Every structure is written in C-alpha cells, then in structure tokens.
C-alpha cells in the first residue's frame, strides 16, 4: 500500500524534472561523425566505383532492402549494373557497411530522409554514388585482389609475385 | 432553459472529454520527462482536432464475421449512458440539467448500464480477444459497481438525501471526504475500475488482448469507445467532487468555476495514477475487490451508522 | 535402400557407429553426418590422399591414448576402428593444412562467382583458419581462354588435382593437363582454346574453388542464395538427366547437376548444362499472335522495359485484367476456329511433356492426334517402346550402364546423341580390370591411384560398330566401321554366335562378319552383366531389331543381368510413343485426303521434320492453323493463331526418358499470366460449349486424367508428389532461406511489395518459407545446401550413404515392370549386305553434341561451339572426286540440292557419306538416303 503511494509521489515529483526530449527541428542534436544513416557508395582513390557487386550487403541486410545485379565491364572490373536501396525499408543498422569487403558502401550521418511519396525513397546507383572515398581513404580493392584488370596485370598487385612461367625449367625466384 | 443547459452540458462534457485526451498525453509526457504532442496549435491543443479529422475519415469498417447490429450498437451505448449520467451532476446551484431527488441512484443505475457496451462489443466482434476482454470487463465492472454503491451509503446517511444538490449543500460545514475518508477511497478505486482505466484496464490489456473488447473496432466507432472512456473519467471525477469534496462550494470564485477546478484536479489524479501504477493480475483485481474493498465498505457503513446514531442519540 | 553388404562398427570420438564394410573413414564420417573437411576426395573420383585435409586421429585400441594421424580418405573402416575427428592434434593439423593452401589464394572472394558456394570457403571456416599470418608475396598465374563454357582463374588454385582427374581419368579428355612443378603447378591446356570434352562444364562443380567457373553465368553473376531454384529434367536428349534450374530477376541464370543415383549421378554434359539459354532467347514469344499481329494488353505500352534491368524484353507490367483479356481474346478466337472446323488434326511433339501431348490428344480426339514424329522416327520409337516394354531384357539405367562389364555399341555415336552415356561407358570399361585388382590385390575400389596403377589403364571389352569414327573408339577393344545394314547384320551374327539354335546365320554363312561376331559373342557370353546399346540415330529399324535379338539371345543364354540401352531421339520420345498417335506423314495424308481443315501444332517446328514442300502443303491445304510454341519460327510465321508457350523452366510436367522412367520437372520462373504451359492453353481451348468451363486447371487434374485414361502412363503420378499431396506449410521453397533484396527488387516499379506468386500446380512455393530441409521428398530437392556446407558438396547430406541413393529413394517412376517374366521371340528380317555404290554413296546422319539438338542450339554459349554444315566423305571418294578438305561440293539428296564444304573423314565406312543432322543451317533431309556428290565447277 505504501509502495503504491510512494510510486505515485515519485511520479508526481517528475513534474519538476528536466525533459529529455530534444525539440528536433529547432534544436539540432549532436551526431557523432560515425552516426549511421543515409547510405552512400564511394569511389576508390582513382575515382572508380568501389562496389564490386559481391552481394554481401544485400545478404547481410536484415530488411532485404538492397537489390543489385553484378556485371563486368570491358576493363575486367566487376560493378553493379544496378544498385537499389529502398530507404523506406532501411533501418540504418549498418550491417551492409560491416559486410562490405571493399569499403564501398558506407553510412553517413545524414538521417534527414523524408519524402511525400514513398517511391522517392527508392535510391538507385546514381543517387547513391558519391565522388569521394568516404571514411576510408587510400583503399583500392583491385590492388589487393588477384584479378587482372586493365592497367593492372597478373602479379602487379600488392604482395604479388610476377606470374609463373610454367614452361621455364627452373624457378626464377 | 433546461434544453439550453442540457445542450451546454452535452457539448461541454464532450469537449472536456476530448481535451482530456490531450491533457493525459501531455501530463504523461511531463511525468515521463517528455513533451508530448506540442506541435498542433498552442500547447498542442489542436492535436485532438487533427485526430478527430483523421478518425472521421477512416474507413468505417465492420468485420464480415461480426454480429452486425450489436456490433454497431455497442459504442453508442457507452456514450449514451455516460452522457445521461451527467444529467444529475450538480455543476452549480443553478446549473444542473435535472435535479432528481434520487439523483445518486440515477447515476449509479445509468452508469452501470455502460457495461452493456462492453458486453455487446466483446460478444458481437466474434473474436477471441474481444470476447476475453468483454468477459473481464463484465466481471470487473459488475463487481466494482457493488463497492461503489456501498461506499456512498455513508454519504447519503450524512446528507440524509439522494439529491446530489442536497448532498453538496450538506457539506457546507465539512466536506464529506473527512468523515467518509474510507468511502472516498473506495469510491475512487471503484471509479477507476468501472471506467476500466489503468491500472484496472484489464478488459483492454493491450499486451495480452490486443485491445480487448474493442479489438475489432476502427474509425469513429473506436472513437466513440475512446471518447466514452474519457467522458467516464470526467464523470467519476465530477461525482467524486460532488459527493466528497463539496461540489461547487468554495470562497471568492463563482460556484461553477470551483466545481470545474476540483473536477480538473481529480482528472489529473486519474492520469497520475495511470502514470504511476502497473496493471494487477486479473485474479488479484477480483480478490482485492471482494476480499478487501467489500468488507471495508461494509465496515464503513456500519461505522458511519454507529457514529451517526451515537451523535444523534 | 538399406546399406548393402556387411555392417562394420567403428568408434568415432568414442561412440559406436555402424557403417558399410569396405568404406574409407572419410566416406563413413560423411555418411554419418560428421563435418570432416576434404579437398582431393570426390565421391565419384574417390581417394588419392593428396591434400592431407581429412586428417583424423586413429587409435590402435581402447587403451591407446596417443593415437596417430591418418588421412581419413586413405584408411579403410574396419571392424573396431577407433578414430577421433575432434582430437586437438588432428584439428590443429587440418587448420595448418588449410593455412598452407591459403598462402597463395588471392583476395578474390567478393569478385569470385564461387563465393558463397565455395568448398574452399566452407572448409576454411570448418577448419578454423581465419587470419592470414604469412607476410610473403603470393604466387600468381596467367589465365587461359578455355572457350565459351568455362572461365579460368588460375590464381585461385589449391592444387587438389580434381580437375585433371575428372577431365582425363574420368571423362577421357585429352586436351587438358597439369604443367610445371612444385608450387607452380598449373592446370590448363597446352595453349588457349575451347576445352574439347563435352563434359568440361562439370569442372565448375568438381573444382572446390573458383578456378573454373561458369562463363555464361559470369555475364550476370548471382550468388547461390539469391537464386530461385527448382528441380527439373534436362530436355537436351532422351536420357532425362536431373538438373536444378536457377532463376533471378525473371531470367534463367544457370543449370546445375541434380544427383539421381539411377540416372546422371554427379555429372552433366555441356549441352545440358549450357543449353538452357534458349529460355532467355530474344526470339521468345511473349504475346499471342492473331493473323500475325500481337495482342498487346492494354496499358503495357507505357512502360517498355522489364521489371529489372538486364532481363530479356517482355511485355511491361500490364494489369492482370488486361492480360486476362488478351488470353480470353486469343482463346475465344481459337475456340471459334475449333468449333467451326470439320476435322482438326493435332500435331504434338516428342519434345513436349506428356501432359501437353495428352492435352492435345484429348482436345482433338485420339483419332486425330499425331505424335509429331516423322514416319521413320515414329516407327523407330514405337519399336523401341515395344522392345523396352515387352522384351525379356531390361532397359538399364545410366548408373547400371556404369557397372556393365562387356558392352556392344551398335550404330550409336553416343557422345553426340546421348552424351552422358559416353561418360557412363568410360566407367563401364573400368569395372572388369578394377574388379580383378580388388580381388587379386585387395585394393579397395575407392583407392583410386592404387587402382589405376594396378590396372595400368587396362580396359574391359567394349565393341563398337558405327559408320564413322566415334568418341568411344579410344576405349573400345575393337571398332568396326560398317554401313547401317551391315551393323544390323553384324548384330544378327552376334546373336547367332550366342544362340546358334534360335537364330539363323546370315545368308552365306561364310560372311566375314561371322568371324567378327564370334569374338564379340564369345566376350558377351563370358560377361556377368553384358550390355547392348543401340538407338535411332541412323534411322535403321534393322539395327534395333538385331540389337533386341542379341539381348534376347543373352537372356536365353541365362544372363539374368544382361541389359539393353536404347537411345531415343528426343527428351520425351518414349512418352509420346506411350500416348500413341499417327505419324507426321499420316497427318499430312489426313489433311490431304481425310477432310481435315484445321491443324493444331504444339511445340514442334515442323521445318525440322518436314521437307519444305510438305511443310508448305500442310499449311496451304488447311484452312486454319493454331500453333503453340516458345519461339518465332517458320511454323509460327504461317499460323493463323500463335499462343506463347512456357518452356521447361516456366512450366511443370513429366518427361519419360529412354529407359521408361517418368520424371517431373517443375517451373522455376513464374511465367506472366499470358505465357503458360501448352497443356494449360489446350485446357482453355478444350472447354466445350460456352462459358469459362475448362477440362483441367492444375497439373494434378491433368495427371489424374492421364492416369484414368491411359493405364500405360498411370505411374507418372508417382514420379513426384502433386500439389495436393503436400500441405501449404510444407511446400518446398524455391528461394533459399537467405535470399536478399525482397523489399527492393521491384521497388523501382512499386513500393507496395506484391505478394509472392501462387503456385497451384506444384508442391513448391515461390517463397523462402516452407518445408524444413531434410523433410523434402527426393524428387523436390531444389537446392543442394546444408548448414556449413554451402557448396554442391553438401550433397552427402541428402544421400543415404556417400554415392548411394538419395534419402527416401531416388526420384522418378519406372513405367515398365521387371523384365524377368517376359519372353519374346526373335525379330525376323535381316537386311541384305550393303553394296557400296561409289557414284551414289548412302548419306547417313551424323550428329553433333552442340548443334544437333535445336533448343540448346539457341543458347548463346552453345552456339559458339556449333560446327557449320558440311558433307563427310571417305578419302577414297575425295580422291575420285579430286576435292580437298574444305572444298565445296554439290550434294543432292532426295531432290534437295546443297552446296557444302567437304570434310574428309578417315574411317568412314566404304560407300557412305555423312551429313550432319539438325544443325541450325541444315535443312531437313530425311536420312538415310543415297546422295549424289558433284565437284563444284568453277563459277
């Protein structure tokens, strides 16, 4: 009985407590630089698309709001022929960013996504692609991978030996 | 004249009931260190207008599996009974729709008719949640009506009348909540239960029964249940004031203002209780009623009668 | 099937288990469901103990606590063997092995098509290696262009040697090998170029990592978990290999092998693997045509592109009502025609499902139904059906062919008519020497290297008699180059050699063929499981008759396990034969003289079966024509009404393979509301009277009707469960449980996610929800996947034992009962000896694995491997004509004059010339027929 009265009293005392709510549009909250919101696709230091369309972001997405199709260009690079994020479904969990093996997909602190039409929240690759490297500078996936692309032949990547001459009688190394 | 008074009471009560929703949301927010709806109109007061507009334009849908006639009837019943009870509420010496010499009995009688809306709504929805909510509602409301009725016997004894205006006048010297403190507490608890407000909102217990007896309702039918509940809160607050807190009595200010102020205070108490207390289990609720409140209210009657007789004799 | 043979008890981590005697520890552990990593072992290629990945601790006895490391795949499971998989030392060893293997593995997984279904990924995770410690540089290799089927990425190689073992040892390929030494070992061809073996595509599944990946798939790579898959049956030839068809964004993306212990087991041919692409062809019909004009649904003009970029063009999303209206208009028009006609002839197709042919048969009536085969093909297939259904010798399954010990091939160029039969025969010739090695040297059958050392490449008896050199010559004891008639005579002589009492010798008992036949007959007579193979490819009934006689003679000689294998021309030839009906020539006759004024053609491009004149005549002499087909072709051009039909990937139905095995295929692409299965269209047309009543609505309905109507086909219902047999919640999901993009795939069109398509025909669902894995009937396995096993190697989890039948029995229903109680007299009629006429050589059909099958020929990748047309002549003929290889000559066959380049074929039997049949640029000729060859005079 007493505890009931005490809790009523305790609640009443909150009349004089400070309110926690931030009155958002008038008062802007502090967002840490790594706050997760709108998703972007970044480019590598050479200005090429970083995304290699490996599908891991789509697989990691708990709301399945990422859809893409891989393709290969004439330079031998993999790229998404389309890349679509349905932001009306996105929960900004950041799993896609964690899954991304090339630092291509990154979440930015811009959370102010609102549209009159839900369809306007469907972003295609052109809407997602930015011109910079985002949070991770200097990383270029194709320098690490063993795939030959135009401008980087076999054995020219980081940590690679030149290709083996299988017809040589002795090992040149 | 009476028509004008009745109209004013009708519209006024509905308006208060509606704005009570805003009051509740703002107060709850206050006690939870939030702001609550504060965007529409000054202090968010126009929120209810927006909500009304929205709810009026919602599809008025009757589920195909429902029992049509009672389903449509049920929300009307709650609004009608609650509003009817206001006929006897003594807002001020001059401002009462109808001065009945059995006013208190009329209030008890008519307000308990409200249980039909719960029965009909729960039954006609033809859904398990509604039915369970309805059953809980019936048992709870019928049980607590008993203690509510018994708790005011002391007041009637002290005032010597069932006429609510007479009861108010009888409190000129001493407001009845002092001699009838037990009666007041029981009446107020009963009031919470009869209006099935938190903590006694078992008929609609959203985390077990979706929305209880009004699960299947939408649009303005749901709106009527909703507004009915809040008007019920106003009614119980007004009756508490009339029975225990001297109704319109008070210095300086006009009687009507006093009455409304006191009523407002009790409405706030209703909300405070909601903000503070969790919902008991169903069996705890009934055990509390029958094992504690019933003996207490009987003891209150006996005690009051004994003291009254002793004082007289 | 319960475990055969003796059961041995072994102890794994101190718990007893019963396993089949004679297995190795790796097989036993996988059968029991343990996760033991491996690379070089493959259930069909067996053990070589090269990769050291399956190391386990083996203990001498109960008291032995130290134990020793042993390779699971090289250690036999004997009674009381005690091993530990979880032993820390064994685990550390396995983790170390994978770390070495990963030293040079490139950082490629995101751009590798194998990613997500990679055995190396699975094994790496299973072994616990997760962090690269090496700071040295990686070895790199240059890639090769291996042709249109395979992509080569040699950096990813882990030197497990599975590829060469499959390509050279298992499938007999020659143009692929291993080069260089130590850590520079290189797997490839001597120089760039397409891999010649028609089984090269299996390297995609055999390679445990991404060295060999599917090249057509690489045009639009898709992860395994995103592919919508369903069990299906290959339409490429009559063997009916089981396949898994995979779809994404409304497009068929690839075909993978679906294990069936009785049919194709672990491998597919490249025609089957890459031929599916015709489904995505630009020539596909998507809308009905009436009088040559498309019926376009209202509102579809506004959006011209498909739902997802990259798909083949198809009508834009018009409303369901608009599409329904189009269907109703086309159906109403066709119904009017049918009601107004005096007599309608229905021409079915041996390539269409049993259901579609039956639907046509019941639409036009059994008397007006034509099975769509030329009279020659009709007679051959009919005879095959009789031999298989009522002969005393059973028709063998492919798996049984692999176990045959003496084989006689009569006239079939197996690799080009039934490619996987070639692969099976290559295993069959190993059975006898290997059995000897097992008995004399006690080498278990799984010990592949030792077995091959012991047998020294020795091969069991295989006799080949064909008109021209064939792929299996290299494994044959003796190949004979004979004309079709002489092949029949040889077979007859073999039958005489086995049963001299029952069979008369050839006219002129001194025929030299008798000498040859004596050898073959003697060898067959010594066999435990002799096998006779024949087929329809030479168009000779005499060969079939004689082959049946050899088989009958073997049965009379008491060979209970003797077998017969008859190669039919098309995927559902046997099903068509069981339905009955007239031949195409009889249908022409019915049109010409029988008063038929309407013709309904189903999935049959008649130009491939009729000469131009007859083809024209058919359409000229009928007033109305309704054609149901996948593509625009010559037949649809002439039709009054064309209804667009769903292919095997978009519809469901049943095929009966050459063995008489009914197998169900299931739709994997949801067709839009207009394109639908032939049997559905015909059901709509068959609604008698007015209104919307139709004869059948779902697959279950029509199969029930077939079972009632035709007792011979009654068993097709048991080929797979029907939609009604499986409750909604236990439907087999076509999507994997981690399919992605469900809320974004169509978001560019609508943000209101449409409900998944409903499927009333099959026990599968267009969803990721459904029956738990493991409770799926074997005929409905849509995906080879198990927890921790993302690659196709997960198959062991679906088998009762490694290499054994699927859990719950292999899918398919045999329509012909056992042969044991059947007796039949010998066939009569031996052709006369072939008399070569040097001036008019007999043109025989030669087929090409890529090109002779018209559907797969439309596939983009397969079309790169299709030869252009030619005429094959003997060197003698070339000399007398004075032409060189490649020079053009004028060939006249049956009034048809063609100018063809010459291909001089050493080994072509005397007095013959060879014309490729079925190639896209080759008109229908009607072989065999005498041909006139003239050297082209200079213009």
């Amino acid at each position: 009985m007493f505890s009931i009265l005490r809790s009523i009293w305790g609640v009443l005392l909150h009349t004089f407590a400070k309110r926690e709510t931030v009155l958002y549009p008038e008062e802007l909250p502090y967002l840490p630089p790594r706050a997760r919101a709108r998703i972007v696709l970044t480019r590598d230091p050479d200005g090429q698309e970083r995304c290699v369309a490996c599908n891991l972001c789509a697989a990691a997405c708990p709301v399945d709001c990422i859809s893409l199709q891989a393709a290969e260009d004439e330079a031998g690079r993999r790229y998404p022929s389309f890349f679509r994020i349905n932001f009306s479904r996105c929960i900004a969990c950041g799993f896609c960013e964690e899954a991304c093996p090339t630092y291509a997909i990154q979440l930015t602190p811009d959370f102010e996504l609102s549209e009159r039409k839900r369809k306007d929240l469907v972003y295609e690759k052109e809407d997602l692609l930015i011109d910079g490297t985002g949070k991770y500078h200097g990383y270029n996936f194709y320098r690490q991978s063993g795939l030959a692309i135009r401008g980087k032949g076999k054995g020219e990547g980081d940590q690679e030996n030149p290709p083996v001459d299988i017809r040589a009688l002795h090992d040149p190394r | 004249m009476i028509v004008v008074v009745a109209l004013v009471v009708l519209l006024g009560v509905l308006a208060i009931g509606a704005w009570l929703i805003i009051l509740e949301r703002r107060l709850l927010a206050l006690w939870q260190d939030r702001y609550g709806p504060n965007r529409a109109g000054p202090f968010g007061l126009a929120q209810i207008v927006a909500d009304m507009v929205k709810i009026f334009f919602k599809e008025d849908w009757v589920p195909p599996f429902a029992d049509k006639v009672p389903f449509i009837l049920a929300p009307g019943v709650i609004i009608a009974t609650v509003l009817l009870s206001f006929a006897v509420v003594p807002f001020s010496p001059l401002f009462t729709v109808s001065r009945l010499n059995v006013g208190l009995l009329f209030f008890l009688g008519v307000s308990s008719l409200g249980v039909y809306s719960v029965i009909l709504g729960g039954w006609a929805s033809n859904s398990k949640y509604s039915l369970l909510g309805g059953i809980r509602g019936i048992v709870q409301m019928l049980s607590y009506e008993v203690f509510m009725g018994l708790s005011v016997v002391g007041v009637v004894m002290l005032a010597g009348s069932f006429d609510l205006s007479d009861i108010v006048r009888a409190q000129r010297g001493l407001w009845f909540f002092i001699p009838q403190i037990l009666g007041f507490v029981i009446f107020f608890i009963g009031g919470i239960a009869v209006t099935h407000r938190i903590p006694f909102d078992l008929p609609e217990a959203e985390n077990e029964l979706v929305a209880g007896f009004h699960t299947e309702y939408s649009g303005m039918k749901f709106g009527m249940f909703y507004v009915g509940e809040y008007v019920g809160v106003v009614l119980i607050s007004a009756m508490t004031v009339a029975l225990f807190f001297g109704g319109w009595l008070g210095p300086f200010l006009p009687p009507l203002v006093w009455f409304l102020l006191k009523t407002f205070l009790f409405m706030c108490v209703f909300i405070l209780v909601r903000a503070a207390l969790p919902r008991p289990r169903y069996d705890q609720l009934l055990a509390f009623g029958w094992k504690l409140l019933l003996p207490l209210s009987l003891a209150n009657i006996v005690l009051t009668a004994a003291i009254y007789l002793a004082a007289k004799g | 099937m319960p475990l055969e043979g003796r059961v041995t008890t072994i102890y794994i981590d101190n718990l007893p288990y019963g396993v089949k005697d004679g297995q190795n520890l790796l097989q036993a552990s996988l059968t029991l469901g343990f996760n033991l990593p491996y690379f070089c072992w493959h259930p069909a290629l067996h053990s070589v103990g090269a990769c050291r990945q399956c190391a386990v601790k083996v203990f001498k006895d109960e008291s032995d606590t130290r134990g020793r490391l042993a390779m699971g795949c090289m250690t036999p499971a004997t009674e009381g063997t005690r091993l530990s998989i979880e032993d820390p030392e064994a685990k550390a060893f396995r983790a170390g092995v994978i770390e070495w293997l990963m030293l040079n593995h490139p950082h490629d997984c995101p751009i590798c098509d194998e990613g997500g279904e990679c055995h190396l990924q699975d094994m790496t995770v299973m072994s616990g290696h997760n962090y690269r410690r090496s700071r040295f540089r990686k070895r790199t290799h240059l890639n090769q262009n291996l042709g249109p089927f395979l992509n080569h990425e040699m950096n990813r190689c882990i030197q497990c040697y599975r590829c060469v073992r499959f390509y050279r040892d298992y499938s007999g390929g020659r143009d692929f090998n291993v080069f260089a030494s130590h850590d520079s070992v290189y797997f490839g061809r001597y120089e760039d170029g397409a891999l010649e073996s028609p089984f090269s595509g299996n390297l995609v599944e055999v390679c445990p990592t991404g060295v060999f990946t599917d090249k057509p798939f690489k045009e639009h790579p898709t992860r395994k978990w995103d592919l919508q898959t369903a069990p299906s049956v290959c339409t490429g030839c009559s063997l009916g290999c089981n396949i898994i068809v995979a779809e994404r964004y409304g497009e068929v993306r690839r075909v993978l092998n679906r294990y069936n212990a009785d049919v194709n087991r672990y491998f597919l041919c490249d025609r089957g693997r890459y031929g599916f692409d015709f489904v995505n062809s630009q020539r596909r019909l998507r809308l009905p045509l009436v009088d040559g004009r498309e019926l376009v649904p209202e509102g579809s003009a506004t959006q011209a592109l498909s739902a997802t970029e990259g798909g083949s063009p198809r009508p834009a999303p018009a409303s369901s009502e608009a599409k329904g209206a189009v269907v109703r208009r086309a159906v109403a028009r066709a119904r009017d025609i049918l009601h107004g006609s005096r007599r309608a002839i229905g021409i079915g197709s041996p390539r269409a499902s049993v259901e579609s042919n039956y639907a046509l048969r019941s639409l036009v009536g059994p008397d007006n139904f034509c099975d769509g085969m030329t009279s020659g093909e009709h007679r051959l297939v009919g005879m095959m059906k009789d031999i298989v259904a009522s002969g005393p010798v059973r028709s063998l399954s492919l798996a049984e062919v692999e176990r045959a010990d003496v084989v006689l091939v009569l006239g079939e160029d197996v690799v080009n008519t039934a490619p996987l039969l070639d692969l099976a025969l290559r295993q069959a010739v190993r059975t006898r020497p290997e059995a000897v090695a097992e008995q004399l040297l006690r080498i278990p059958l799984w010990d592949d290297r030792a077995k091959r050392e012991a047998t020294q490449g020795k091969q069991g008896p295989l006799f080949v008699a064909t008109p021209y050199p064939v792929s299996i010559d290299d494994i044959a004891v003796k190949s004979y180059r004979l004309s079709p008639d002489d092949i029949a005579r040889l077979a007859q002589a073999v039958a005489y050699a086995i049963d001299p009492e029952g069979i008369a010798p050839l006219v002129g008992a001194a025929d030299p063929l008798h000498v040859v036949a004596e050898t073959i007959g003697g060898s067959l007579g010594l066999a435990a499981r002799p096998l006779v193979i024949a087929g329809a490819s030479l168009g000779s009934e005499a060969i079939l008759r004689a082959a049946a006689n050899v088989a009958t003679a073997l049965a009379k000689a008491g060979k209970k396990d003797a077998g017969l294998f008859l190669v039919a021309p098309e995927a559902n030839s046997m099903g068509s034969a069981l339905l009955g009906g007239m031949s195409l020539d009889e249908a022409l006759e019915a049109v010409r003289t029988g008063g038929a004024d309407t013709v309904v053609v189903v999935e049959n491009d008649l130009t491939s079966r009729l000469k131009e004149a007859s083809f024209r005549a058919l359409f000229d002499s009928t007033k109305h024509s309704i054609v149901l087909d996948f593509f625009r072709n010559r037949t649809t051009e002439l039709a009054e009404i064309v209804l667009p039909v769903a292919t095997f990937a978009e519809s469901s139905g049943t095929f009966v393979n050459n063995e008489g095995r009914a197998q169900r295929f299931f739709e994997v692409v949801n067709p839009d509301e207009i394109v639908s299965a032939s049997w559905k269209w015909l059901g709509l047309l068959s609604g008698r009277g007015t209104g919307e009543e139709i004869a059948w609505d779902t697959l279950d309905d029509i199969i029930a009707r077939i079972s009632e109507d035709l007792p011979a086909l009654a068993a097709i219902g048991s080929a797979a469960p029907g939609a009604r047999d499986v409750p909604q919640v236990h439907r087999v999901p076509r999507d994997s449980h981690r399919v992605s993009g469900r809320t974004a795939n169509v978001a560019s069109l609508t943000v209101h996610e449409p409900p998944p398509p409903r499927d009333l025909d099959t026990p599968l669902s267009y969803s990721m929800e459904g029956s738990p894995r493991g409770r799926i009937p074997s005929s409905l396995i849509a995906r080879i996947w198990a927890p921790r096993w993302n690659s196709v190697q997960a198959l062991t989890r679906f088998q009762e034992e490694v290499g054994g039948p699927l859990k719950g029995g292999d899918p398919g229903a045999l329509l012909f009962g056992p042969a044991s109680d059947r007796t039949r007299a010998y066939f009569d009629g031996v052709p006369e000896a072939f008399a070569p006429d040097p001036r008019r050589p007999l043109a025989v059909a030669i087929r090409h694995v890529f090109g002779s099958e018209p559907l797969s020929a439309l596939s983009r990748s397969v079309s790169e491997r299709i030869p252009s047309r030619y005429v094959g002549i003997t060197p003698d003929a070339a000399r007398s004509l004075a032409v060189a290889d490649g020079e053009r000559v004028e060939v006249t066959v049956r009034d048809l004059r063609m100018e063809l380049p010459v291909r001089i074929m050493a080994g072509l039997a005397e007095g013959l010339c060879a014309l490729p049949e079925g190639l896209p640029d080759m008109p229908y000729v009607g072989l065999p027929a005498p041909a006139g060859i003239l050297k082209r005079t200079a213009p």
Side-chain angles (χ1 to χ4, degrees), chain B:
Chain B
M1 180 61 193
I2 191 157
V3 178
V4 175
V5 172
L7 268 179
V8 169
V9 168
L10 184 71
L11 294 178
V13 161
L14 275 176
I16 291 172
W19 261 287
L20 179 56
I21 296 171
I22 284 302
L23 177 72
E24 172 164 44
R25 292 179 65 185
R26 293 298 312 257
L27 281 180
L28 281 177
L30 176 70
W31 289 321
Q32 292 165 358
D33 303 343
R34 298 183 284 117
Y35 284 99
N38 63 350
R39 296 276 156 181
F43 306 106
L45 282 177
Q47 185 68 41
I48 189 64
V49 180
D51 287 349
M52 288 287 235
V53 170
K54 183 191 81 174
I55 215 163
F56 267 114
F57 282 98
K58 283 226 169 181
E59 186 186 358
D60 192 14
W61 193 65
V62 180
F65 47 81
D67 198 347
K68 297 270 169 334
V69 176
F71 187 84
I72 294 167
L73 217 57
V77 170
I78 186 139
I79 280 279
T81 54
V82 174
L83 287 176
L84 263 179
S85 308
F86 271 100
V88 295
V89 172
F91 290 96
S92 79
L94 297 173
F95 197 79
T96 308
V97 180
S98 163
R99 234 188 105 177
L100 288 179
N101 55 357
V102 289
L104 186 55
L105 290 179
F106 179 84
F107 155 74
L108 287 173
V110 171
S111 66
S112 40
L113 284 177
V115 77
Y116 278 106
S117 80
V118 176
I119 297 175
L120 292 177
W123 178 258
S125 294
N126 223 341
S127 125
K128 58 185 174 225
Y129 301 116
S130 300
L131 185 64
L132 286 171
I135 291 170
R136 285 187 184 184
I138 297 159
V139 174
Q140 171 182 334
M141 288 169 82
L142 290 182
S143 311
Y144 278 74
E145 289 280 355
V146 173
F147 327 128
M148 239 171 97
L150 291 175
S151 66
V152 296
V153 170
V155 172
V156 173
M157 275 193 265
L158 293 181
S161 168
F162 281 109
D163 183 337
L164 286 164
S165 299
D166 288 346
I167 290 174
V168 173
R169 285 199 186 87
Q171 300 182 57
R172 274 212 186 98
L174 185 66
W175 291 356
F176 283 160
F177 86 94
I178 294 171
Q180 282 298 310
I181 180 74
L182 209 52
F184 158 64
V185 170
I186 295 169
F187 181 83
F188 196 71
I189 292 174
I192 295 175
V194 169
T195 52
H196 38 83
R197 292 275 307 168
I198 295 172
F200 297 146
D201 65 337
L202 285 100
E204 37 201 284
E206 72 276 1
N207 41 7
E208 354 173 340
L209 294 182
V210 188
F213 61 93
H214 59 66
T215 301
E216 305 295 339
Y217 282 89
S218 62
M220 203 48 218
K221 290 202 200 67
F222 164 75
M224 278 156 88
F225 270 121
Y226 202 63
V227 170
E229 179 181 322
Y230 282 90
V231 175
V233 171
V234 180
L235 176 66
I236 297 295
S237 305
M239 289 309 293
T240 313
V241 170
L243 291 172
F244 297 99
F245 285 83
W248 65 74
L249 301 174
F252 313 122
L253 294 174
L256 185 63
V257 175
W258 269 116
F259 190 90
L260 291 180
L261 266 181
K262 290 177 187 170
T263 308
F264 175 78
L265 190 73
F266 276 97
M267 288 173 355
C268 293
V269 173
F270 259 95
I271 296 162
L272 178 62
V273 169
R274 171 182 178 170
L277 298 182
R279 182 188 308 132
R281 228 166 47 218
Y282 186 50
D283 61 317
Q284 290 170 333
L285 174 89
L286 287 183
F288 178 66
W290 291 106
K291 291 186 183 163
L292 187 71
L293 293 186
L294 182 67
L296 273 182
S297 52
L298 288 173
N300 182 42
I301 293 170
V302 172
L303 212 66
T304 311
I307 294 169
Y308 183 71
L309 285 176
K312 257 202 158 173

Side-chain angles (χ1 to χ4, degrees), chain A residues 67-68 84 89 154 167, chain C residues 153 190 249 742 745 753:
Chain A
S67 173
L68 69 153
R84 185 181 303 131
R89 288 283 184 186
K154 287 284 176 199
R167 291 186 175 80
Chain C
E153 188 61 45
Y190 183 69
Y249 301 136
R742 285 173 305 149
N745 286 344
E753 284 125 31

